[in-house]
Amino acid sequence: MVNTITVVGAGNVGATTAQRVAEKRLARRVVMVDVVPGIPQGKGLDQYESAPIEGFDSRIVGTNGYEETEGSDLVIITAGIARKPGMSRDDLLATNAGIVRAVGEQIRRTSPEAIVIVVSNPLDVMCYVAREATGFPRARVLGMAGVLDTARYRAFLAEALDVSVLDIQAMVLGGHGDTMVPLLSYTTVSGIPVRQLLDQATLDAIVTRTRGGGAEIVAHLKTGSAYYAPSSAAVQMAEAIVFDQRRILPCAAWLEGEYGLRDLFLGVPCKLGRHGLEQIIEVELTPAERVELEKSAAAVREPMQALATLTR
Ligand SMILES: NC(=O)c1ccc[n+]([C@@H]2O[C@H](COP(=O)([O-])OP(=O)(O)OC[C@H]3O[C@@H](n4cnc5c(N)ncnc54)[C@H](O)[C@@H]3O)[C@@H](O)[C@H]2O)c1
């Protein structure tokens, strides 16, 4: 257990994340920050009142400022607007960049030693904005997307195979968008290569559904985007860091030549431990997967350049 975990944004993803962090006993204090007066205070109090029932001892505090967050060990950024039907993640670029930049500057001031997990979209670019604003080393700025995309992929595979979700091992790499790269060559069911169990047409349909997994939920909800699975994914990363688990999870990390790519955040297999990013694991890719990863990197560079133009 660490002392303080801060969740910035007390909306759907943020509030669910704070509750999960407390229920998993990851921190003594969970601080939820939002710009809307009353919302983080009300939700935080409501959550704290569930403590005697759920049996956790974390104190959950809601606030509109950063003084209560001082010295946080971990900060999860969920602040920003979410997608509505018909919107792409990149449509959120200008608004969320301004929000994440302001949040990053506050974190730099109040929690200079924190590890940051970014959730706000467009994810890979918001990681870049957070890294620039905090000035933190790459080990301490990570993005959550791959764990969620992989969970969707695993859920759909388990459904098609009628097996436990726990028996599907898989990894989705690349940017958090339509160009994400599910690695079929590394997808196994209790060690059995998935291609021995499902035909190509079924696998193709599952990959397509995974790529559109976020949009499928937005189309149902109409007024917002997914938050139960996204908060689970962010908290799985937090848990790996807090308990120094050395788990290998697909996360957005700043690349410095890994996979032949540099100067961008992209989803790659990361070993997570008490220092944040402990190592990027480079796996062999098939020529097709390599092409797809490069395409995905190009799709992430586009909004990065658009942002540079916007802020020039
Ligand atoms: N990475 C992923 O896989 C993933 C998955 C789901 C959602 N998301 C993204 O997470 C973000 C949040 O989604 P949501 O569903 O919780 O949205 P939401 O609208 O429910 O909540 C966002 C919250 O951020 C707050 N906020 C705005 N500006 C702020 C600031 N400067 N400081 C603090 N708080 C601020 C808002 O008041 C609001 O309460 C969106 O950008 C969404 O696209 C990412």
Side-chain angles (χ1 to χ4, degrees):
M1 180 183 267
V2 295
N3 247 335
T4 307
I5 294 182
T6 289
V7 180
V8 186
N12 284 337
V13 179
T16 320
T17 296
Q19 179 79 20
R20 291 195 198 283
V21 163
E23 287 182 3
K24 283 188 176 274
R25 299 161 178 77
L26 300 190
R28 284 184 189 84
R29 285 174 80 238
V30 182
V31 184
M32 215 172 9
V33 187
D34 201 288
V35 284
V36 182
I39 292 291
Q41 290 86 347
K43 288 191 182 182
L45 181 59
D46 186 15
Q47 290 171 337
Y48 182 57
E49 288 168 0
S50 74
I53 304 165
E54 295 298 336
F56 62 79
D57 259 316
S58 307
R59 185 75 181 88
I60 309 180
V61 182
T63 173
N64 302 117
Y66 281 80
E67 300 323 310
E68 290 89 336
T69 73
E70 215 165 307
S72 294
D73 302 276
L74 188 67
V75 178
I76 304 175
I77 305 179
T78 76
I81 54 169
R83 281 195 289 171
K84 302 216 164 51
M87 283 173 94
S88 81
R89 292 182 180 91
D90 288 348
D91 291 334
L92 313 173
L93 185 66
T95 308
N96 285 358
I99 292 171
V100 171
R101 191 173 304 116
V103 171
E105 283 162 6
Q106 293 291 349
I107 295 169
R108 176 190 199 131
R109 187 177 64 80
T110 47
S111 298
E113 300 303 323
I115 294 170
V116 175
I117 298 175
V118 180
V119 178
S120 311
N121 271 321
L123 189 273
D124 307 274
V125 194
M126 290 308 111
C127 292
Y128 170 69
V129 173
R131 179 146 194 254
E132 290 280 294
T134 55
F136 289 178
R138 80 161 176 170
R140 293 201 279 120
V141 182
L142 290 153
M144 186 292 289
V147 177
L148 170 65
D149 296 331
T150 304
R152 287 177 173 151
Y153 178 55
R154 289 171 63 200
F156 301 150
L157 285 169
E159 198 178 25
L161 288 160
D162 189 25
V163 299
S164 165
V165 288
L166 297 178
D167 287 337
I168 314 277
Q169 299 82 34
M171 191 97 74
V172 177
L173 305 187
H176 186 46
D178 307 339
T179 59
M180 66 180 77
V181 187
L183 296 184
L184 280 172
S185 54
Y186 290 99
T187 304
T188 62
V189 184
S190 281
I192 308 160
V194 74
R195 284 198 171 100
Q196 292 186 21
L197 302 174
L198 288 173
D199 60 57
Q200 195 58 45
T202 308
L203 287 170
D204 287 346
I206 287 172
V207 166
T208 303
R209 189 172 177 200
T210 301
R211 290 203 167 113
E216 185 177 352
I217 308 267
V218 172
H220 283 300
L221 296 178
K222 295 188 180 66
T223 53
S225 59
Y227 53 101
Y228 290 112
S231 55
S232 292
V235 174
Q236 185 173 61
M237 289 173 63
E239 191 176 19
I241 292 167
V242 166
F243 295 131
D244 196 22
Q245 288 173 331
R246 314 277 163 143
R247 291 210 61 184
I248 296 173
L249 299 171
C251 309
W254 181 252
L255 299 186
E256 294 174 347
E258 294 84 1
Y259 292 92
L261 298 162
R262 59 172 59 249
D263 298 339
L264 84 163
F265 275 88
L266 200 68
V268 289
C270 294
K271 192 201 280 180
L272 299 190
R274 194 59 199 89
H275 301 104
L277 174 67
E278 305 278 347
Q279 189 190 349
I280 293 176
I281 316 279
E282 287 196 75
V283 297
E284 232 173 79
L285 300 179
T286 64
E289 286 166 347
R290 180 156 291 282
V291 169
E292 283 190 31
L293 194 67
E294 277 158 17
K295 245 196 248 168
S296 195
V300 171
R301 287 197 203 277
E302 243 174 70
M304 272 177 83
Q305 273 148 13
L307 186 64
T309 317
L310 277 175
T311 49
R312 202 172 285 151

